[in-house]
């Protein structure tokens, strides 16, 4: 059974959908269980670790007995700019909360999948970051997420830390929805062109997470091993690299193609210095995905391919 923490967030909603479709038993918690409280986490775990359902809704009496084998942590303080003025809360959620989750997961004898970020790097390179690249976060958000990674590696051995970037999905606010709404409402939008990275569709990230779980279950069934994929840190985004400006241009092109953008709009570029923010963004944060592709034996779609499927989908509703 899977315990999905942060089940109502953008990525959590996508994971819950795919867990349900694959009939993998799971339970979910969100803000109803405070991750900064080890007591609340332990209470939830003890009250649900022997019961599960296959719908992902709050478990009820009469459900099939089960055990929490996996914990997926999607909970985080992700307001990058607000974190600069709210460092204490960001650390409580991204670092202390993560430590609490790691401890509870270890006590359950379960395996942890934790979502991290490209913000653990400073972006001052010109080549994709590998999992072994030296971390050097420059924002409060990045520093607290980096600390959360460190806590996990010190607290347990059975874990996967998945670093991702530029995430968008069907449920919740994200860059694609923001741009679509702005392009429908304005004759011009201005987007930064000197920051490079890789957009990531939550559908693809969720599929990779479930692949880890399914591969582990198969390995245990066939070979008696705990996992077919070595524990540790992995990078996952879609393939390729682009700038926010080029990303916005592609959103406009596809939005017009699939009638999600019905107004004419000019997409204009600007530099980071022209659009100051509270938090420093990595200038270059492309992640090398070769490790997870090779070991998990998956084919990761390009960011353009996934973006087209996303905008074309009937699930696409700008929020």
């Amino acid at each position: 059974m899977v315990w999905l923490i942060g089940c109502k967030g953008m990525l959590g909603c996508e994971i819950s959908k795919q867990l349900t479709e694959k009939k993998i038993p799971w339970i979910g918690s969100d803000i109803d269980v405070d991750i900064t409280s080890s007591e609340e986490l332990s209470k939830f775990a003890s009250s649900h670790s022997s019961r599960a359902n296959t719908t992902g809704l709050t478990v009820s009496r009469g459900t099939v007995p089960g055990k929490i084998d996996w914990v997926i942590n999607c909970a985080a303080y992700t307001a990058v700019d607000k974190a600069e003025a709210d460092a204490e809360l960001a650390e409580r959620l991204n670092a202390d909360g993560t430590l609490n989750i790691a401890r509870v997961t270890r006590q359950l004898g379960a395996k942890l999948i934790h979502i991290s970020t490209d913000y653990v790097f400073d972006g001052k390179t010109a080549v994709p970051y590998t999992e072994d690249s030296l971390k050097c976060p420059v924002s409060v958000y990045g520093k607290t997420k980096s600390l959360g990674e460190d806590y996990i590696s010190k607290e347990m051995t059975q874990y996967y830390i998945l670093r991702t970037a530029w995430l968008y999905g069907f449920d919740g606010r994200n860059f694609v929805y923001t741009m679509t709404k702005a392009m429908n409402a304005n004759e011009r939008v201005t987007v930064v062109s000197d920051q490079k990275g890789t957009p990531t569709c939550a559908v693809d990230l969720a599929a990779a997470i479930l692949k880890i779980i399914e591969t582990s279950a198969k390995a245990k069934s066939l070979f008696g091993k705990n996992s077919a994929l070595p524990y540790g840190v992995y990078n996952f985004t879609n393939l390729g690299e682009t700038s926010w400006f080029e990303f916005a241009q592609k959103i406009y092109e596809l939005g017009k193609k699939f009638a999600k953008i019905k107004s004419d709009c000019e997409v204009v570029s600007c530099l980071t210095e022209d659009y100051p923010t509270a938090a420093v963004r990595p200038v270059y944060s492309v992640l090398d995905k070769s490790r997870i592709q090779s070991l998990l034996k998956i084919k990761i779609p390009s960011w353009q391919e996934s973006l087209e499927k996303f905008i074309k989908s009937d699930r696409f509703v700008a929020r």
Side-chain angles (χ1 to χ4, degrees):
M1 179 173 70
V2 175
W3 175 10
L4 177 58
I5 300 175
C7 66
K8 295 182 180 179
M10 183 172 66
L11 179 58
C13 285
E14 185 60 44
I15 295 172
S16 66
K17 180 178 183 295
Q18 294 190 26
L19 285 169
T20 301
E21 289 173 345
K22 289 181 174 291
K23 294 181 169 55
I24 298 174
W26 67 279
I27 54 174
S29 64
D30 204 78
I31 59 174
D32 53 310
V33 178
D34 182 3
I35 64 171
T36 68
S37 169
S38 57
E39 291 78 10
E40 284 197 30
L41 286 168
S42 296
K43 182 178 179 181
F44 182 91
S46 62
S47 64
H48 293 84
S49 60
S50 62
R51 305 196 304 280
N53 63 16
T54 57
T55 65
L57 301 176
T58 302
V59 291
S60 57
R61 293 181 182 179
T63 51
V64 181
K67 174 182 175 294
I68 296 175
D69 301 300
W70 291 88
V71 176
I72 303 174
N73 180 32
C74 297
Y77 186 112
T78 58
V80 176
D81 289 319
K82 288 183 179 180
E84 294 299 311
D86 203 2
E88 183 178 349
L89 179 58
E91 183 169 345
R92 284 178 59 207
L93 290 169
N94 293 341
D96 300 340
T98 298
L99 176 59
N100 291 337
I101 290 169
R103 285 175 173 168
V104 170
T105 302
R106 180 173 54 79
Q107 291 164 3
L108 288 168
K111 295 177 277 290
L112 175 64
I113 297 176
H114 173 75
I115 309 303
S116 193
T117 174
D118 58 324
Y119 276 71
V120 300
F121 301 114
D122 60 14
K124 296 180 180 179
T125 183
V127 295
Y129 287 99
T130 70
E131 291 83 353
D132 299 321
S133 296
L134 181 65
K135 295 194 294 181
C136 187
V138 292
S139 66
V140 168
Y141 170 67
K143 290 174 183 177
T144 57
K145 290 294 288 183
S146 177
L147 188 55
E149 288 187 5
D150 295 341
Y151 284 160
I152 290 172
S153 63
K154 291 176 182 177
E155 188 68 26
M156 57 190 306
T157 56
Q158 296 187 117
Y159 67 86
Y160 299 100
I161 295 172
L162 299 186
R163 292 177 183 150
T164 192
W166 296 25
L167 189 65
Y168 64 92
F170 290 109
D171 302 280
R173 297 171 59 185
N174 58 74
F175 184 76
V176 182
Y177 281 162
T178 297
M179 284 293 102
T180 302
K181 292 179 69 174
M183 290 168 182
N184 273 319
N186 301 280
E187 295 181 353
R188 172 184 292 191
V189 295
T190 303
V191 186
V192 171
S193 62
D194 57 349
Q195 295 176 20
K196 289 196 172 183
T198 309
T200 308
C201 184
V203 174
D204 299 325
L205 178 54
I209 290 169
L210 264 64
K211 179 73 172 179
I212 292 173
I213 294 173
E214 292 172 324
T215 301
S216 178
K218 185 176 181 181
K220 189 170 184 178
S221 174
L222 294 177
F223 310 112
K225 296 181 179 179
N226 285 330
S227 177
L229 184 69
Y231 296 117
V233 180
Y234 292 87
N235 295 332
F236 186 94
T237 66
N238 285 117
L239 294 185
E241 64 179 71
T242 189
S243 68
W244 288 110
F245 170 64
E246 292 167 340
F247 187 16
Q249 285 184 309
K250 195 66 177 179
I251 292 168
Y252 181 69
E253 174 193 325
L254 295 171
K256 294 289 282 187
K257 179 179 179 180
F258 297 112
K260 302 299 171 68
I261 297 174
K262 300 179 181 180
S263 302
D264 291 332
C265 180
E266 182 183 9
V267 183
V268 180
S269 68
C270 71
L271 299 177
T272 298
E273 63 187 34
D274 300 322
Y275 190 78
T277 56
V280 177
R281 264 69 173 174
V283 174
Y284 185 89
S285 62
V286 178
L287 303 177
D288 185 314
K289 280 78 65 176
S290 57
R291 185 182 184 202
I292 197 167
Q293 284 189 106
S294 174
L295 294 176
L296 199 56
K297 295 179 172 57
I298 57 174
K299 182 180 180 181
I300 302 176
S302 70
W303 71 265
Q304 298 96 325
E305 178 185 351
S306 290
L307 180 63
E308 179 163 357
K309 288 181 179 179
F310 179 77
I311 294 178
K312 183 179 180 180
S313 173
D314 292 338
R315 293 176 63 194
F316 183 98
V317 180
R319 300 169 190 274

